[in-house]
Amino acid sequence: MANRDILRQFSGDLRLALGLLTRLPLPGTPDMARGAQAAWAWPLAGLAPAALAALAMTLGSALGVLPGVTAALGLAVSVMVTGAMHEDGLADTADGLWGGWTPERRLEIMKDSRIGAYGVIALILSLLARWSLLAGIVASGSLWAPLLAAGAISRAPMVLLMAWMEPAREGGLSRAVGRPSMETAGLAVLAAALPALLLSGPGAVLAILAAFAVALGLGRIAQAKIGGQTGDILGASQQLAEIAALSVLAASL
């Protein structure tokens, strides 16, 4: 009976993570009451968009599509599966942290649906970096391992930032989800590290360290500028962590 309960909770947390971080149609109704307790499964949910992007890129390569176009196809699939929520967070973070002079004004800018110059530049640089890395990965002939590893690794820092930092505003997605415990954050790190190590071997350790370093650096900036984290900050941390992880993994191919 205990094993059934563990399996039921595992599947429920994974469904909740997929429902929050992707736009995939899912059967049943996730247990929203779990909230931040299910955040440990975010790295596992990150495997879904990575796998679909890798599948699209594998098909593109099999059809003889050029590496650059294949990389663009993988990016497009990833953005569609996640609903561009992390990209949106990156743009809002860039606009807010560098577009306002006070914490209140920065938070106001981050909440604004309009995008400014900082946001546009951040998106262009992020997409260009990821496209370049994916094109190199396609050319190397190894797709699945680095994409899946980076997909898992890049979601763990979001949980760490939520456990480490207070929400910077009263409302928003981050406060609605809740604040995970450090134990939950530790499980998230484990859920990211295990598949990454199985897929990429010892090189995954450097990828994990690089991803966490850039995400924690962003966290320190956010703490200084707005006094905590928001859903936008978490989304931006995923983008930066993915670029860092892919950079390390691509270099080892």
Side-chain angles (χ1 to χ4, degrees):
M1 185 65 178
N3 290 337
R4 285 185 184 175
D5 291 339
I6 292 173
L7 183 59
R8 188 179 299 112
Q9 182 173 303
F10 175 88
S11 62
D13 286 354
L14 182 56
R15 186 184 297 113
L16 181 56
L18 286 167
L20 180 66
L21 299 182
T22 75
R23 296 297 182 266
L24 296 173
L26 301 171
T29 302
D31 181 11
M32 300 302 294
R34 290 280 296 169
Q37 293 175 287
W40 70 266
W42 288 5
L44 298 183
L47 294 173
L52 291 172
L55 177 59
M57 293 167 68
T58 299
L59 293 174
S61 295
L63 293 172
V65 178
L66 292 174
V69 179
T70 300
L73 176 62
L75 273 178
V77 170
S78 177
V79 169
M80 287 189 291
V81 172
T82 60
M85 66 182 304
H86 304 309
E87 287 81 2
D88 180 68
L90 176 66
D92 287 343
T93 293
D95 279 335
L97 295 188
W98 278 272
W101 293 100
T102 66
E104 294 76 18
R105 178 56 182 155
R106 290 167 185 147
L107 287 170
E108 183 182 350
I109 292 172
M110 291 169 72
K111 193 174 181 180
D112 194 330
S113 60
R114 293 171 295 182
I115 186 170
Y118 288 116
V120 171
I121 293 169
L123 278 178
I124 291 173
L125 292 177
S126 172
L127 289 170
L128 181 60
R130 291 157 66 199
W131 175 82
S132 300
L133 289 165
L134 291 178
I137 289 171
V138 172
S140 75
S142 177
L143 277 175
W144 288 82
L147 263 68
L148 290 175
I153 290 170
S154 62
R155 270 71 180 182
M158 296 194 293
V159 189
L160 282 179
L161 290 183
M162 290 180 73
W164 169 42
M165 303 167 67
E166 292 279 354
R169 61 163 54 101
E170 289 302 317
L173 180 61
S174 177
R175 185 173 288 276
V177 171
R179 191 174 183 186
S181 64
M182 289 306 298
E183 289 79 8
T184 299
L187 286 176
V189 174
L190 189 61
L194 286 179
L197 288 169
L198 288 173
L199 290 162
S200 299
V205 176
L206 288 177
I208 292 169
L209 292 176
F212 285 7
V214 297
L216 292 177
L218 173 64
R220 291 184 66 88
I221 294 172
Q223 186 66 47
K225 286 183 172 285
I226 59 174
Q229 50 84 11
T230 67
D232 289 328
I233 296 295
L234 302 181
S237 75
Q238 187 279 327
Q239 294 281 279
L240 297 179
E242 183 174 324
I243 292 170
L246 282 175
S247 297
V248 173
L249 295 170
S252 64
L253 296 177

